Amino acid sequence: MEAILSGIKKGRYVPGQRLIEADLTRELKVSRGPVREAFKRLAGEGVLVLNKHRGAFVRAQSRDEVRDMMCVLEVLAGLAAKLAARHINEGDNRQRLQEVFESAMHEGEEGETLAFLDERRRFYDTLYDIGGNRELQHMVPRMQISLLRLQFQAFVSRKQHESQLKELHSMVEAVLMGDPKKAERTARAHLRRRRLSLTTLPDDAFAAAAQH
């Protein structure tokens, strides 16, 4: 199962892609049993879609599913930013956030690359961690977020990408200022704009979801 999850995070397996059982057993040097069990578990977690006649596919999200997920993420990210702002001056929190943010911005200079997606994931993981609310961290659907980013990576224009970087910068500034209200407001505004940009994409962006 970890091999499949790792492959998704690295962009080796992308939304809508069919996973061939025989290929995985050969590649991972395991029997079919563990692969089939991994398929079932990942399907239960919403990472894969199992089709009785066609096999296993990496989950692709429909327009409505994206809208619903982004509405939830707006609330979660807003709360995470607010909590992080409250705790930013504790321990090495400030340094940690600055380091992961600078790393994300550096990768972001090259556009919506896999390296940037990975660094942005690290940034958000750190933001949630600094907030210190374990229940909130457990609620974040990390793999679904990774799938969402991969699904729409090719549809993000340079202008949209640059706009996202500016919005992230504003959010981090508010957190570093220790301003919980502003941090929550900027984080939610960022996710809201992201939702609008994704849900208004052309049908091609959601074609993989329609196939399964």
Side-chain angles (χ1 to χ4, degrees):
M1 188 170 83
E2 290 302 320
I4 296 174
L5 292 176
S6 177
I8 291 173
K9 290 178 181 178
K10 294 177 180 178
R12 183 178 181 186
Y13 307 130
V14 298
Q17 179 177 342
R18 183 184 179 190
L19 298 183
I20 308 299
E21 184 180 295
D23 291 346
L24 286 170
T25 57
R26 183 168 52 253
E27 177 186 335
L28 302 177
K29 298 179 180 179
V30 296
S31 64
R32 291 189 173 186
V35 173
R36 289 176 178 174
E37 181 61 28
F39 282 179
K40 291 179 182 178
R41 289 182 61 185
L42 291 175
E45 295 175 11
V47 177
L48 300 182
V49 174
L50 298 183
N51 185 300
K52 184 176 181 180
H53 301 291
R54 302 180 62 198
F57 294 82
V58 179
R59 183 186 176 197
Q61 299 182 56
S62 68
R63 197 184 301 273
D64 287 342
E65 288 172 332
V66 171
R67 183 181 294 109
D68 290 346
M69 175 179 284
M70 294 303 292
C71 284
V72 172
L73 292 180
E74 178 186 328
V75 177
L76 296 181
L79 179 55
K82 179 172 71 174
L83 294 176
R86 289 178 178 171
H87 296 281
I88 193 62
N89 292 317
E90 298 174 4
D92 62 348
N93 287 346
R94 178 177 295 273
Q95 180 181 348
R96 289 171 58 205
L97 187 65
Q98 288 177 322
E99 288 179 352
V100 294
F101 177 67
E102 288 172 4
S103 181
M105 291 300 100
H106 175 71
E107 294 296 345
E109 293 176 359
E110 301 300 320
E112 199 83 354
T113 64
L114 287 175
F116 170 68
L117 297 184
D118 190 50
E119 289 302 312
R120 186 169 62 181
R121 180 170 58 243
R122 287 184 59 233
F123 162 73
Y124 273 107
D125 284 348
T126 303
L127 188 73
Y128 279 91
D129 187 53
I130 288 174
N133 188 311
R134 294 182 180 179
E135 290 305 314
L136 178 59
Q137 293 183 56
H138 293 159
M139 292 178 182
V140 181
R142 286 180 168 80
M143 282 310 303
Q144 282 79 2
I145 294 173
S146 294
L147 289 172
L148 184 146
R149 290 170 176 164
L150 287 171
Q151 182 174 342
F152 303 110
Q153 178 187 9
F155 294 88
V156 178
S157 68
R158 185 71 192 187
K159 183 178 180 180
Q160 289 173 325
H161 176 74
E162 291 174 351
S163 177
Q164 288 182 47
L165 296 185
K166 291 179 181 178
E167 291 169 9
L168 284 173
H169 190 272
S170 296
M171 176 172 59
V172 170
E173 277 190 335
V175 173
L176 293 175
M177 287 170 56
D179 188 334
K181 290 184 178 180
K182 185 175 182 180
E184 180 178 24
R185 185 171 63 250
T186 54
R188 293 194 61 156
H190 170 59
L191 269 294
R192 193 177 307 120
R193 293 190 189 97
R194 181 71 169 145
R195 169 167 54 85
L196 291 173
S197 67
L198 291 179
T199 54
T200 55
L201 285 172
D203 290 343
D204 287 353
F206 304 94
Q211 294 174 6
H212 312 305

